[in-house]
Amino acid sequence: MDPSALGDCLTAASCLVTQATSGLISGLILFLVAAGLTLIFGVLGVVNFAHGSFYMVGAYLAYTISATTGSFTLAILGGTAGMMLAGAAFERLLLRRIYGANVMMQLLVCYAVILIVDDVVKIIWGPDFIAMGMPEAFQVPPLFVAGGIIPPFYLFLGAVALAVAILLSIVLEKTRIGKIIRAAAINPTMVSSLGVNTVLLYGLVMAVGAGLAGLAGALAAPVRAMTPGMGFSILIDSFVVTVIGGMGSIPGALVVAILLGLVQAFGAVGFPLFTDQIFFIFMILILVLRPAGLLGRKVS
Amino acid sequence: MPAAGLIPKTDQGILEMRCFRNRCLQNNRRSYIEHIEPQGNIKRMKIDRRTILKGVAVTLATPAILRAQTNTLRIGMDTVMSGTAAALGSSSSQGAKLRIDEINAAGGLGGRQLELVIRDTKAQPQEAARIVRELVNSEGCEIIIASDPNALAVQEIIRDLNVLCIQATSETTSYTADPKLRVPTSFRVCRQGIHDSILGGMYAADIAKKKGLKKWASISPDYSYGRETTDQFFKWTKHFDPDIEVVAQVWPRLGTPEYSELITRLLQARPQALYSTLWGGDLSSFVGQAGIYGFFSQVESFAVNLADYNVLGSIKTLPPGIHSGSRYLDNFPATSENKAWADKYRAQFKQQPTVWSGSNYLAVQFIETAAKQGGSLDNAALVKVLQQGLTVDSFMGQNGKVTMRPEDQTIVDYAFGWGTTVAQAPFVTDIAPGDWSQVKELELEWKKSMGYV
């Protein structure tokens, strides 16, 4: 514990800018993964434990596309589109069969998928870690704002993640399909009886959720080493975010993901040995005092 | 097939094994071995599930060495074949295999062919311990090459089994330095943490004095190796340059994907120099993420585990000027033997060798040399030769030779030094070799201070 260091950091512009931006951006990347997870749970009612695998394969796919075409834009698009397709296939072939099943069954199926995908990744890309390397456009010195350091690549990551967050909320709030998705989350039987093709809708939601995880993986690929099994740690963080924010709540996921990023950033200064634990303690408190999460719907 | 423990010796009578359908039915479906004694009495032994289990237990408890007197010498290897260190683990088995293939092609050892039996520890101590026991008791392995970082867990099993064990990857100092942990039949053939710390301290203090680096920071993985080695490094750096001061230390957990908050935290402390024991994918992630903050142009960095091809090759834009300890490099030691070995390895496996490949090759070399010198492949004979101290010719030697030191059963005189990175191959240049006589002297001092001598 070093409260004086934290105090110094919060009062110095340079420290404030550097830690706040790095926390904000890692929070936004986490949001992309958690948003997919919470969306799938909200509509499909399935806790997708295999969600981290989409993040991982998205990153690996982006790596291969970037290595063959040399284009980071194509890598991002390819990683996202590839995972959308994979998500739709996953829903069509596996998830659809276990919608009514209990959580244990869902957990087992997803866990099997995690193990299989990890081994497939090992076969295709090898067991060793891989680094994609920074795209040429971002191989530039960092920016200095009020004495704080901000790498241009992180600005780009933050901008893309923020744009996706805004787009997602507009689609869900303002469009017809968004309204149908929200309705399906509340009462799928009613939506179905009104003539909406819920089978297609579920496939679409799963594709979007998996696509968001793939996008996060592709965006993070230039700075995070890829290893088979890398989806697991992001899955844990995503669960923390969705549980605290409220399972099924996208605004909740956004708020909590950013909060998590900021706590980690300032925690690294003030209480480096206690940063991870803080959120788990917070999660326990939420589960006890407000089981639906900060912004989640109350379960009647 | 009946378990071996149930079969009576034939000189006591004629063995007949019959199961009559009627009798089986009459006796709760139990089967018997009928043993006719010389006097003509028939003695029955029932073979129900419980008896068979007892027999199997007795068989397993019999040392496999006694059972496996075949012409093949089985060498068991416990190593990491899954998780983040999987590639290092496969490089271990490849290193050992390279030497074993050479020996087998030349007719084997004492007329026996060598066979490597590899098992995955998943980098978990309890798995490593279980596997080693299984390799000896069930797989008939006569020698163990331990290629898992969890040496301490394996040591106690080896003490119990009393078989020859070559520790080929764990660099934790204590299990050979501390007499209480040392095991008479276990020998280390890889680098040792204390040697790297002393040499690292000497090298870093030298640079610190030349460049006036007073404020230091560190980033190391949050487990025993990371913390111990970092503490030892600063202890020795301060020993040679008392003016240095540690201003910030961060301890990410193993496998952390995101380092930016820690990087910015380190930058806030405005250190002049950084020390790190991060390794593998974690080091690769850190270097990539720190690079975009321009970290390495602001802070003189020392990363002891950087100079291994699996890390160097994975970093797309290696920042120049990072100081690294020599792990395995084909240009250090700069000898034709070292270059030739690396070429041979690449030709066979289409991959770059790692420091684990080198030490596992050396492990087989030590077994081979001990067998030739003692004239026997018997476990006790091999152990005796190794306990007396043994020097082998090796591409990994600082001067072409590596010695098994008898007093603590660990190797010395292997190539070690520190150099700085360049963006392209050979990746690390200007490597200053360590002075073994000075390091050994300081190591002895340290051992005395710890009460080990």
Side-chain angles (χ1 to χ4, degrees):
Chain A
M1 276 300 256
D2 195 353
S4 65
L6 186 60
D8 291 348
C9 183
L10 290 171
T11 48
S14 65
C15 185
L16 202 61
V17 169
T18 313
Q19 294 305 101
T21 47
S22 77
L24 195 67
I25 286 152
S26 65
L28 281 169
I29 293 285
L30 182 59
F31 162 72
L32 289 182
V33 185
L37 189 67
T38 209
L39 186 69
I40 292 165
F41 177 79
V43 178
L44 276 60
V46 173
V47 184
N48 180 20
F49 292 98
H51 201 62
S53 300
F54 293 107
Y55 169 82
M56 172 178 69
V57 181
Y60 272 101
L61 208 56
Y63 163 76
T64 302
I65 295 170
S66 155
T68 44
T69 65
S71 161
F72 185 49
T73 316
L74 278 182
I76 295 173
L77 293 176
T80 313
M83 285 312 96
M84 286 183 82
L85 287 176
F90 175 59
E91 195 274 340
R92 182 80 185 81
L93 299 173
L94 286 174
L95 276 194
R96 188 164 294 182
R97 293 162 204 275
I98 52 166
Y99 280 143
N102 63 28
V103 175
M104 208 49 168
M105 184 65 176
Q106 296 176 351
L107 176 71
L108 282 175
V109 169
C110 290
Y111 190 54
V113 170
I114 292 175
L115 294 179
I116 292 167
V117 172
D118 278 359
D119 275 359
V120 169
V121 164
K122 218 182 276 183
I123 291 165
I124 299 176
W125 285 282
D128 207 354
F129 59 88
I130 300 175
M132 181 162 135
M134 189 53 60
E136 251 178 55
F138 295 106
Q139 289 179 8
V140 287
L143 304 173
F144 287 87
V145 178
I149 310 168
I150 306 173
F153 179 69
Y154 281 0
L155 278 184
F156 167 75
L157 285 194
V160 173
L162 203 62
V164 169
I166 293 168
L167 187 71
L168 203 61
S169 66
I170 290 175
V171 169
L172 283 177
E173 295 295 326
K174 306 282 180 202
T175 64
R176 186 179 141 75
I177 183 80
K179 282 175 188 160
I180 294 174
I181 289 173
R182 282 188 290 135
I186 296 164
N187 194 336
T189 324
M190 182 61 83
V191 171
S192 177
S193 62
L194 287 172
V196 174
N197 185 347
T198 46
V199 172
L200 198 66
L201 185 74
Y202 282 11
L204 178 75
V205 168
M206 185 64 218
V208 171
L212 285 171
L215 171 67
L219 284 173
V223 283
R224 293 180 184 174
M226 287 165 247
T227 50
M230 68 187 270
F232 192 70
S233 64
I234 196 106
L235 179 74
I236 302 282
D237 284 351
S238 303
F239 265 114
V240 174
V241 166
T242 46
V243 168
I244 298 177
M247 295 288 279
S249 163
I250 288 179
L254 179 65
V255 170
V256 178
I258 290 175
L259 203 61
L260 183 76
L262 290 176
V263 167
Q264 279 175 343
F266 288 99
V269 178
F271 35 90
L273 296 177
F274 206 63
T275 316
D276 289 342
Q277 289 86 332
I278 282 190
F279 253 79
F280 285 108
I281 292 171
F282 195 36
M283 185 170 83
I284 292 169
L285 287 177
I286 286 285
L287 283 172
V288 173
L289 302 174
R290 198 182 153 82
L294 279 183
L295 302 177
R297 289 190 306 270
K298 287 234 166 66
V299 183
S300 54
Chain B
M1 201 183 102
L6 288 175
I7 300 172
K9 284 181 185 167
T10 45
D11 61 359
Q12 288 174 346
I14 305 152
L15 173 73
E16 278 187 70
M17 192 174 138
R18 283 177 294 184
C19 174
F20 301 107
R21 185 174 294 168
N22 290 344
R23 284 192 189 172
C24 287
L25 286 172
Q26 282 165 11
N27 293 290
N28 282 341
R29 295 176 182 273
R30 278 181 175 161
S31 306
Y32 294 91
I33 291 175
E34 286 197 350
H35 177 87
I36 304 168
E37 289 180 349
Q39 298 90 337
N41 304 330
I42 295 176
K43 217 177 170 183
R44 279 179 181 169
M45 286 171 73
K46 62 179 185 190
I47 42 168
D48 59 4
R49 188 177 52 197
R50 188 168 295 179
T51 320
I52 289 180
L53 284 177
K54 277 184 199 162
V56 170
V58 170
T59 314
L60 289 181
T62 315
I65 295 167
L66 297 179
R67 290 184 279 123
Q69 282 303 335
T70 61
N71 202 37
T72 306
L73 176 75
R74 304 192 94 197
I75 299 174
M77 173 182 282
D78 63 304
T79 192
V80 192
M81 288 155 73
S82 47
T84 48
L88 273 175
S90 72
S91 79
S92 288
S93 56
Q94 287 172 183
K97 199 171 172 302
L98 189 61
R99 187 62 200 155
I100 285 176
D101 286 353
E102 288 170 345
I103 294 171
N104 285 344
L109 209 51
R112 293 173 76 182
Q113 291 282 299
L114 306 185
E115 184 192 345
L116 194 63
V117 184
I118 309 159
R119 293 287 179 269
D120 182 13
T121 63
K122 303 180 179 76
Q124 289 170 6
Q126 70 277 18
E127 272 296 284
R130 186 185 66 78
I131 282 166
V132 166
R133 203 177 272 284
E134 202 174 276
L135 282 168
V136 174
N137 283 336
S138 316
E139 301 277 359
C141 294
E142 296 176 45
I143 297 168
I144 292 292
I145 297 181
S147 285
D148 178 272
N150 299 296
L152 283 168
V154 171
Q155 284 289 89
E156 289 316 305
I157 304 298
I158 294 297
R159 194 191 296 279
D160 186 34
L161 294 170
N162 200 30
V163 293
L164 171 59
C165 171
I166 309 286
Q167 289 279 6
T169 54
S170 170
E171 298 172 24
T172 307
T173 299
S174 55
Y175 74 88
T176 55
D178 185 348
K180 288 201 272 310
L181 298 177
R182 205 180 303 139
V183 175
T185 61
S186 179
F187 302 84
R188 183 211 306 264
V189 298
C190 59
R191 309 170 74 92
Q192 193 181 168
I194 186 70
H195 296 155
D196 267 333
S197 298
I198 295 173
L199 184 68
M202 283 160 77
Y203 177 83
D206 191 38
I207 307 262
K209 280 181 192 161
K210 275 185 199 152
K211 297 194 174 182
L213 309 173
K214 303 288 174 220
K215 292 167 75 178
W216 283 69
S218 74
I219 177 165
S220 292
D222 191 13
Y223 73 112
S224 61
Y225 163 76
R227 285 186 176 261
E228 267 175 34
T229 314
T230 304
D231 289 349
Q232 280 182 357
F233 170 83
F234 282 125
K235 173 184 147 64
W236 288 103
T237 310
K238 281 178 184 166
H239 175 89
F240 298 110
D241 181 5
D243 293 341
I244 73 152
E245 172 200 4
V246 181
V247 293
Q249 291 195 285
V250 291
W251 309 97
R253 63 175 193 270
L254 268 181
T256 299
E258 185 59 55
Y259 291 88
S260 49
E261 293 95 345
L262 300 175
I263 292 161
T264 51
R265 159 77 185 95
L266 290 172
L267 286 172
Q268 298 307 328
R270 307 205 179 282
Q272 295 167 296
L274 174 90
Y275 175 73
S276 177
T277 62
L278 290 175
W279 54 277
D282 290 355
L283 180 58
S284 174
S285 286
F286 170 72
V287 171
Q289 294 177 28
I292 61 175
Y293 278 96
F295 189 91
F296 300 108
S297 56
Q298 302 173 54
V299 182
E300 191 95 20
S301 298
F302 296 72
V304 65
N305 295 324
L306 184 59
D308 214 351
Y309 288 118
N310 68 326
V311 183
L312 290 167
S314 79
I315 300 171
K316 289 293 178 291
T317 38
L318 181 67
I322 301 180
H323 302 271
S324 175
S326 65
R327 300 289 295 171
Y328 176 76
L329 293 165
D330 67 4
N331 60 332
F332 183 77
T335 58
S336 55
E337 287 84 1
N338 185 28
K339 189 82 178 53
W341 182 81
D343 289 341
K344 188 166 66 180
Y345 184 96
R346 290 184 198 117
Q348 183 156 343
F349 302 110
K350 314 283 177 257
Q351 274 176 4
Q352 290 278 17
T354 69
V355 70
W356 287 21
S357 323
S359 53
N360 278 274
Y361 185 92
L362 191 61
V364 182
Q365 266 189 306
F366 265 106
I367 296 167
E368 178 193 1
T369 314
K372 283 179 181 162
Q373 199 153 315
S376 167
L377 272 174
D378 180 59
N379 232 259
L382 291 172
V383 167
K384 196 173 166 202
V385 173
L386 286 164
Q387 279 175 340
Q388 285 163 354
L390 189 61
T391 299
V392 300
D393 292 331
S394 171
F395 61 93
M396 288 175 77
Q398 190 90 304
N399 295 306
K401 288 180 193 304
V402 171
T403 298
M404 176 62 64
R405 193 163 56 182
E407 61 264 31
D408 56 358
Q409 304 188 173
T410 192
I411 59 163
V412 288
D413 300 335
Y414 53 84
F416 73 156
W418 278 74
T420 45
T421 53
V422 287
Q424 302 298 326
F427 300 120
V428 183
T429 55
D430 302 330
I431 303 169
D435 178 355
W436 265 108
S437 60
Q438 203 180 352
V439 170
K440 283 177 193 169
E441 216 172 276
L442 292 165
E443 183 193 6
L444 186 63
E445 252 177 54
W446 171 79
K447 278 184 171 174
K448 281 179 185 162
S449 74
M450 297 294 289
Y452 291 161
V453 177

